[in-house]
């Protein structure tokens, strides 16, 4: 029997994987990812970058319309709904992160939700879960073709590389494409992949998630009407291999097997507690512990006591920003996040506001920071650590180290805390009925008869249109 090509094996898997192959672990983890992504997307609709891309997207019209999250009377063509909702998800860098490094959900969920609202087949909640997980799986498999991908990235922002492929795969599944069409969808998507990391810490970075959602959806739609690409796009270095220096692909295992092993079975995602680059979570936890040690030593916290703050972090140029001048730079600054945690004993959404960033006390504390990159501190979200050392004027040292923060896949958020994070974020936009409705639908997603019911709750910013008991399972 001839061995399948790599792209062919992916196309076959996208087409043939079924809901019966979703394990309990995969269903539970993906529902947590969906709920968290909707929450950060909803609060993200109140950001400047979201409003700018929404203004742009409203210039486009079509007969098919999909919901804009957090807007009761606004819809867009599905491709642009996927785009703006994807931008919202990543607008505050508050969305989930996987290993190897990428933000998996923000590229996929906006696409499948926008598409599901337009399909005459009216996909069920289980259909949506399956498509979502195929989009996540494809990203995970592609990242494992490169050891370079296991580290904090240096050249391309990962959601722009693998995210568009995941979006294409998930959309292809919902559209019911043939195996060959699924392969072509990946090939088409690959020509929209790749964004330089230089746009990290700017307003353009959230567009990487939005573009991944939009372009992946469009790739699947184009494949649906017969457009073709290179059928070996994943097999060759000049295909998808251009994005990785050490690309070494392998075909997927037999996707028809009832025992198919999903990556999400073995590797959960990190869920963020603060709206900042994932690396900031280590340094914030270490800073909070160092502050507590200082308070116990000198019976209180006084900025004037501090002579120097030393941060020991992994090497990464794009999260080294000593004096950030924008909220996006601040979200990517070890120095800013450590000092904010030391000064305020917390880091929150408000931490990145202009007023908080311009405080003289914060500026003073930032001037006392020195950063070191020890050789044993690897730039990997699975192996890195952060250490914060406070030195007082009278020579006292208070040091704290974080190896695994709360929310990391090794130390996941409890369901209670994850739902609370969603509720806080979503309630800044939705009514109580909307918040409760989204939670109810997501928690029962595999029983929901029509996935599009989720859109009705995501638009509920005022009085409810129906009661929760009208949800059909």
């Amino acid at each position: 029997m001839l061995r399948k090509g790599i792209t062919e094996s992916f196309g076959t898997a996208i087409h043939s994987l079924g809901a019966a192959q979703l394990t309990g672990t995969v269903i539970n983890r993906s529902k947590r990812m969906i709920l968290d992504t909707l929450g950060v997307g909803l609060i993200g609709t109140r950001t400047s970058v979201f409003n700018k891309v929404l203004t742009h997207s409203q210039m486009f019209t079509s007969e098919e319309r999909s919901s804009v999250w957090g807007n009761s009377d606004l819809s867009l063509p599905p491709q642009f709904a996927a785009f703006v909702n994807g931008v919202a998800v990543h607008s505050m860098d508050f969305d989930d992160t996987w290993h190897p490094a990428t933000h998996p959900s923000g590229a996929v969920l906006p696409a499948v939700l926008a598409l599901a609202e337009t399909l005459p087949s009216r996909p069920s909640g289980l259909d949506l879960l399956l498509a979502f997980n195929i989009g996540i799986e494809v990203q995970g498999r592609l990242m494992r073709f490169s050891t370079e991908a296991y580290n904090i990235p240096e050249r391309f922002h990962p959601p722009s590389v693998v995210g568009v492929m995941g979006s294409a795969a998930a959309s292809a599944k919902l559209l019911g494409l043939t195996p060959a069409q699924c392969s072509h969808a990946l090939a088409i998507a690959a020509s929209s992949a790749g964004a330089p990391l230089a746009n990290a810490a700017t307003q353009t970075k959230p567009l990487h998630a939005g573009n991944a959602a939009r372009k992946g959806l469009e790739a699947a739609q184009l494949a649906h009407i017969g457009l073709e690409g290179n059928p070996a796009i994943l097999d060759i270095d000049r295909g998808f291999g251009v994005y990785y220096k050490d690309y070494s692909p392998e075909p997927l295992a037999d996707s028809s097997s009832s025992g198919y092993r999903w990556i999400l079975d073995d590797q959960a995602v990190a869920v963020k507690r603060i709206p900042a680059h994932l690396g900031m979570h280590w340094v914030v936890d270490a800073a909070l512990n160092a502050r507590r040690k200082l308070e116990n030593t000198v019976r209180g916290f006084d900025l004037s006591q501090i002579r120097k703050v030393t941060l020991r972090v992994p090497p990464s140029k794009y999260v080294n920003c000593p004096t950030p001048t924008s909220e996006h730079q601040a979200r990517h600054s070890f120095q800013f996040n450590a000092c904010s945690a030391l000064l305020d004993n917390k880091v929150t959404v408000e931490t990145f506001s202009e007023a908080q960033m311009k405080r003289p006390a914060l500026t003073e504390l930032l001037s006392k920071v020195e950063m070191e990159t020890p050789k044993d501190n690897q730039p990997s979200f699975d192996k890195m650590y952060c250490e914060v050392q406070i030195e007082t004027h009278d020579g006292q040292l208070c040091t704290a180290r974080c190896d695994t923060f709360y929310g990391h896949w090794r130390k996941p958020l409890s369901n209670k805390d994850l739902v609370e994070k969603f509720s806080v974020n979503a309630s800044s936009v939705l009514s109580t009925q909307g918040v409760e409705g989204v939670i109810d639908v997501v928690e029962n997603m595999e029983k929901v008869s029509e996935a599009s019911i989720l859109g009705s709750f995501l638009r509920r910013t005022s009085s409810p249109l129906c009661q929760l008991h009208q949800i059909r399972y």
Side-chain angles (χ1 to χ4, degrees):
M1 188 176 190
L2 290 175
R3 186 177 186 233
K4 278 187 178 180
I6 293 157
T7 311
E8 183 184 3
S9 75
F10 272 72
T12 299
I14 294 166
H15 172 79
S16 64
L17 282 168
Q21 292 165 283
L22 294 173
T23 66
T25 297
V26 167
I27 289 174
N28 179 59
R29 286 178 172 172
S30 58
K31 288 196 298 186
R32 284 167 55 93
M33 293 163 70
I34 289 170
L35 187 66
D36 182 61
T37 302
L38 292 173
V40 299
L42 285 163
I43 195 171
T45 63
R46 298 302 181 256
T47 61
S48 174
V49 63
F50 172 83
N51 287 322
K52 289 173 182 176
V53 299
L54 180 61
T55 298
H56 165 74
S57 298
Q58 286 177 286
M59 294 189 296
F60 301 91
T61 61
S62 75
E63 291 183 5
E64 293 183 333
R65 310 290 288 182
S66 298
S67 300
V68 176
W69 303 350
N71 287 267
S72 59
D73 57 357
L74 184 60
S75 62
L76 291 171
Q79 301 88 345
F80 285 94
F83 173 61
V84 299
N85 292 332
V87 169
V89 169
H90 198 54
S91 63
M92 300 170 71
D93 223 311
F94 212 175
D95 47 327
D96 58 24
T97 307
W98 215 9
H99 178 72
T102 195
H103 304 283
S105 299
V108 174
L109 186 61
V112 293
L113 284 181
L115 181 58
E117 287 190 79
T118 67
L119 294 177
S121 59
R122 307 181 82 80
S124 68
L126 193 56
D127 294 330
L128 191 79
L129 275 175
L130 176 60
F132 177 79
N133 275 290
I134 286 174
I136 301 302
E137 179 77 358
V138 164
Q139 294 180 76
R141 295 289 175 180
L142 291 175
M143 287 188 294
R144 281 160 177 76
F145 292 164
S146 164
T147 56
E148 177 189 3
Y150 281 77
N151 292 332
I152 296 174
E154 296 180 349
R155 297 187 301 144
F156 297 105
H157 189 212
S160 73
V161 177
V162 296
V164 67
M165 307 298 281
S167 172
S171 300
K173 185 63 178 180
L174 270 189
L175 285 168
L177 302 192
T178 67
Q181 287 174 323
C182 290
S183 296
H184 288 305
L186 294 177
I188 298 165
S191 281
S192 294
L197 204 56
N199 269 325
T202 74
Q203 284 191 333
T204 296
K205 188 189 180 196
L207 271 64
H208 299 171
N211 281 329
R214 172 192 168 189
K215 293 297 185 178
L217 171 54
E218 289 180 344
Q221 291 173 319
L222 288 167
H224 190 213
I225 60 173
L227 191 71
E228 297 181 351
N230 191 318
I233 196 71
L234 302 183
D235 301 65
I236 52 180
D237 288 342
R238 70 180 188 277
F240 195 72
V242 300
Y243 299 108
Y244 297 106
K245 298 173 185 175
D246 57 352
Y247 188 65
S248 182
E250 295 180 0
L252 281 183
D254 183 9
S255 54
S256 63
S257 167
S258 59
Y260 182 84
R261 189 74 181 179
W262 303 80
I263 292 177
L264 199 56
D265 265 316
D266 302 313
Q267 175 71 68
V269 301
V271 175
K272 297 181 177 181
R273 292 177 294 125
I274 61 174
H277 181 276
L278 192 70
M280 304 306 110
H281 290 66
W282 278 270
V283 82
V284 165
D285 277 14
L288 292 173
N289 286 330
R291 177 187 163 119
R292 279 191 284 273
K293 288 184 178 182
L294 180 63
E295 288 176 327
N296 291 336
T297 301
V298 300
R299 297 183 181 179
F301 179 86
D302 185 343
L303 184 64
S304 64
Q305 299 167 334
I306 298 176
R307 189 184 80 82
K308 183 171 73 170
V309 176
T310 302
L311 310 181
R312 300 184 179 100
V313 299
S316 180
K317 293 180 180 178
Y318 90 104
V319 285
N320 175 11
C321 188
T323 54
T325 58
S326 72
E327 62 167 297
H328 297 281
Q329 289 181 353
R331 298 183 199 280
H332 295 75
S333 167
F334 278 126
Q335 298 91 331
F336 176 87
N337 283 272
C339 288
S340 294
L342 289 173
L343 188 61
D344 302 324
N345 203 24
K346 61 182 179 180
V347 174
T348 67
V349 170
E350 289 73 28
T351 297
F352 302 92
S353 67
E354 185 176 1
Q356 292 289 92
M357 289 183 61
K358 289 185 174 181
R359 290 176 295 167
L362 181 60
T363 301
E364 180 185 351
L365 190 54
L366 281 168
S367 70
K368 300 178 180 181
V369 174
E370 293 184 7
M371 202 162 80
E372 300 175 357
T373 54
K375 290 183 179 180
D376 69 335
N377 202 351
Q378 299 182 43
S380 162
F381 292 141
D382 202 43
K383 298 177 180 179
M384 65 176 279
Y385 67 86
C386 287
E387 193 170 272
V388 176
Q389 178 177 285
I390 304 172
E391 180 181 343
T392 65
H393 286 289
D394 59 6
Q396 296 185 76
L397 296 177
C398 295
T399 306
R401 170 169 163 156
C402 177
D403 295 289
T404 303
F405 65 87
Y406 181 45
H408 192 277
W409 47 86
R410 290 193 298 265
K411 195 176 181 181
L413 289 188
S414 68
N415 283 334
K416 178 182 177 182
D417 286 346
L418 187 140
V419 171
E420 182 179 359
K421 176 191 171 183
F422 167 79
S423 298
V424 170
N425 287 335
S427 62
S428 66
V429 179
L430 298 184
S431 66
T432 300
Q433 292 86 357
V435 172
E436 293 174 352
V438 172
I439 293 172
D440 195 31
V441 171
V442 174
E443 286 182 346
N444 295 280
M445 183 66 77
E446 67 272 38
K447 305 172 188 175
V448 173
S449 60
E450 291 184 15
S452 59
I453 186 67
L454 196 53
S456 69
F457 288 107
L458 291 169
R459 295 191 298 269
R460 193 163 303 181
T461 56
S462 54
S463 60
L465 301 176
C466 62
Q467 297 301 314
L468 294 183
H469 69 266
Q470 292 180 299
I471 301 173
R472 290 183 290 170
Y473 298 138

